Amino acid sequence: MPEIVYISIGSNLGDRRRNLKKAVELLGAVGDVTKISALYCTEPVGFKEQAEFMNAVIEMRTRCLPFELLYSCQKIENQMGRRRDIRWGPRNIDIDLLFYGDMVINSEQLILPHPLLQDRRFVLVPLSEVAPDAFHPLLKKTAQQLLAECSDAHRVEKCGSLDSDP
């Protein structure tokens, strides 16, 4: 039976909207994309000296196991030319697994739910849009509750959709 997963995608290099669109298209090969949030233009977090990001969250149904899905996401990033020169630095594509059903994993390769999602408005705003009741199995709160309690003050502004023109 397919599992419902939530994935965050982001880009701040090149044609950001096209990068996100391509990532969603490629993710479609590993599952059925059922919802896509609006696009959000966001301030960079961590490494500040870079262009603003465009972020979204997608909901998917997949038969891939968690590690298979992780490797598929990394393969897509590599296929799209992702470089990892600076931690939290500029990137044409970033794909992060947020939730895989209610599964909890804590390994060197994968931590689920994503360990920082509750601290990041650029994730919580679009996640709350597509799945306000998505439940964090460790914190015992919904995405909407986590957003209401989030102290992150970085700017997150709606700036279109994957289907709209820039």
Side-chain angles (χ1 to χ4, degrees):
M1 180 156 184
E3 190 66 60
I4 295 176
V5 299
Y6 296 96
I7 298 174
S8 174
I9 56 175
S11 175
N12 78 334
L13 290 177
D15 185 332
R16 300 171 303 165
R17 180 179 274 106
R18 186 168 45 181
N19 293 339
L20 297 179
K21 213 172 196 173
K22 180 70 172 174
V24 170
E25 175 187 312
L26 293 171
L27 283 164
V30 296
D32 295 320
V33 175
T34 51
K35 293 182 186 175
I36 304 171
S37 74
L39 298 178
Y40 291 86
C41 293
T42 65
E43 284 182 76
V45 174
F47 182 71
K48 301 285 188 191
E49 301 303 315
Q50 59 182 318
E52 76 174 8
F53 279 83
M54 188 174 278
N55 295 93
V57 166
I58 66 170
E59 176 186 89
M60 286 181 60
R61 293 184 186 277
T62 185
R63 293 187 185 279
C64 288
L65 296 173
F67 286 93
E68 290 175 304
L69 185 57
L70 171 67
Y71 299 137
S72 293
C73 291
Q74 291 171 340
K75 183 178 176 183
I76 291 168
E77 288 178 333
N78 291 337
Q79 180 181 342
M80 290 183 64
R82 164 88 189 258
R83 297 185 59 200
R84 291 169 170 79
D85 299 328
I86 301 170
R87 182 173 183 172
W88 294 326
R91 59 209 102 141
N92 66 321
I93 192 65
D94 186 33
I95 304 173
D96 288 325
L97 302 181
L98 303 176
F99 290 119
Y100 184 99
D102 60 359
M103 193 169 290
V104 175
I105 297 175
N106 193 350
S107 75
E108 264 187 52
Q109 297 84 19
L110 178 61
I111 300 174
L112 285 173
H114 191 287
L116 299 174
L117 78 88
Q118 68 275 359
D119 302 320
R120 295 178 166 172
R121 286 189 70 243
F122 72 86
V123 170
L124 291 170
V125 170
L127 177 61
S128 292
E129 177 188 326
V130 297
D133 296 323
F135 192 72
H136 195 298
L138 296 174
L139 300 177
K140 309 290 187 210
K141 295 181 180 177
T142 65
Q144 202 163 30
Q145 289 170 317
L146 292 172
L147 177 58
E149 296 173 4
C150 184
S151 63
D152 177 11
H154 289 90
R155 183 178 47 78
V156 175
E157 294 176 356
K158 195 179 282 192
C159 59
S161 71
L162 278 186
D163 297 325
S164 66
D165 290 327

